[in-house]
Amino acid sequence: MLEFGLDKILPLLLELYGEDKRKGIDKKAWRHPMDTVEFSFLPMLDDPKRGARLMRVGLLHDVLEDFADRIDLEELTEAVDLDEEEVYLLELLTRDEMELNDLAYWQRILSSEDALIVKLGDRIANLWDLAAWIELEEGFPEDAGKVFQKYRKEYNAIVGILREEFSEQAGYTDHPFAYQVPLLEALMDMLETLYAVHNREPEAFKEKTASLFAAFAELQRVVKVPRPTNGLSFTEFGSNGYPNGEH
């Protein structure tokens, strides 16, 4: 815990997120940074120092954007002892309100392999929760539909770049992209099918998608997210999303 500064990062996240929950599902919002780290597949990196840095960045990736009215970059840097590379990555990962479109944001992300690893972990975690929301609601509530359309637009803009510019990394079984890119594609394909059924036969959504959600349940069972090694572990946390012994 102390080695990676988690003794400072985790209490800060608990304070910021509080009792908030992920939209549409019964999951504490605080769990999302942990999901992002897990879906970043950091144990696949052969550099423990790099993995530790990306773990810290993954945990903090939403802080500057979601809590801009409560903490700025300078305060965050001081609070958790960020180094220059971590500051740089967080700046890349934080959306700029002045950017004209989402593609400009993704172009920044695509300029850094480390930022892309974290962002893909973030997007996979978001898609995972979106699918759970849709299953719970037996269809796409208006807000879920808007989220999916946003993700679809961004995915269509970047998938070709991912396949072309990062094909070498994705081809290695010891690189996060080898896990992230296929999982991203599988989740988007599934959501695309669910969205088509919702639009064509909303009354029969549950019946028509039962087999697809069964496959999703199997995916949840078989996708074993490699647990962080070299001390990168969240075993101190209970199933409720808080450190064991708290709340």
Side-chain angles (χ1 to χ4, degrees), residues 8-224:
K8 296 181 179 179
I9 292 175
L10 298 176
L12 174 64
L13 293 177
L14 288 172
E15 177 186 349
L16 291 172
Y17 284 102
E19 295 294 325
D20 292 348
K21 291 191 175 181
R22 298 284 284 165
K23 191 164 187 176
I25 59 175
D26 187 21
K27 175 192 281 190
K28 292 186 183 297
W30 143 242
R31 299 290 300 185
H32 175 68
M34 293 173 62
D35 292 343
T36 294
V37 170
E38 293 199 353
F39 284 119
S40 295
F41 296 94
L42 301 179
M44 300 300 99
L45 298 173
D46 59 5
D47 182 346
K49 184 177 180 180
R50 182 186 181 194
R53 174 178 288 123
L54 296 190
M55 178 184 68
R56 285 164 53 84
V57 170
L59 289 172
L60 296 167
H61 75 279
D62 276 337
V63 167
L64 295 175
E65 190 173 322
D66 290 352
F67 304 102
D69 59 337
R70 296 176 62 181
I71 190 167
D72 61 24
L73 181 56
E74 182 177 352
E75 292 168 331
L76 182 60
T77 299
E78 182 176 351
V80 299
D81 301 322
L82 298 174
D83 64 25
E84 290 185 7
E85 180 64 19
E86 290 166 346
V87 168
Y88 171 69
L89 290 172
L90 286 172
E91 288 179 321
L92 287 179
L93 288 161
T94 302
R95 290 182 187 266
D96 185 346
E97 293 182 357
M98 300 301 293
E99 286 173 333
L100 297 178
N101 54 59
D102 291 327
L103 183 56
Y105 169 72
W106 276 97
Q107 286 173 337
R108 289 196 289 112
I109 297 295
L110 290 163
S111 71
S112 164
E113 185 176 304
D114 283 353
L116 183 57
I117 289 171
V118 174
K119 187 61 189 178
L120 290 181
D122 170 48
R123 182 50 52 89
I124 290 167
N126 282 330
L127 293 173
W128 205 270
D129 287 351
L130 178 59
W133 180 9
I134 293 161
E135 181 176 19
L136 184 65
E137 294 288 342
E138 299 180 1
F140 283 74
E142 182 179 357
D143 285 351
K146 290 179 180 178
V147 170
F148 171 68
Q149 290 174 39
K150 174 180 182 295
Y151 288 168
R152 171 208 267 165
K153 180 180 178 181
E154 294 182 0
Y155 175 76
N156 289 338
I158 69 165
V159 64
I161 299 173
L162 285 175
R163 291 169 177 164
E164 183 176 340
E165 296 192 13
F166 297 96
S167 60
E168 183 177 357
Q169 295 94 323
Y172 293 129
T173 57
D174 58 350
H175 192 284
F177 290 166
Y179 295 82
Q180 290 180 306
V181 174
L183 187 52
L184 176 69
E185 292 175 342
L187 289 169
M188 284 301 303
D189 285 347
M190 180 186 74
L191 287 164
E192 193 71 57
T193 301
L194 292 173
Y195 194 62
V197 174
H198 171 81
N199 287 328
R200 288 198 305 261
E201 302 179 84
E203 300 84 0
F205 183 86
K206 183 176 181 179
E207 176 187 355
K208 296 290 186 180
T209 61
S211 61
L212 195 55
F213 280 118
F216 179 53
E218 180 67 9
L219 181 65
Q220 292 174 304
R221 187 184 72 80
V222 302
V223 171
K224 303 296 184 182

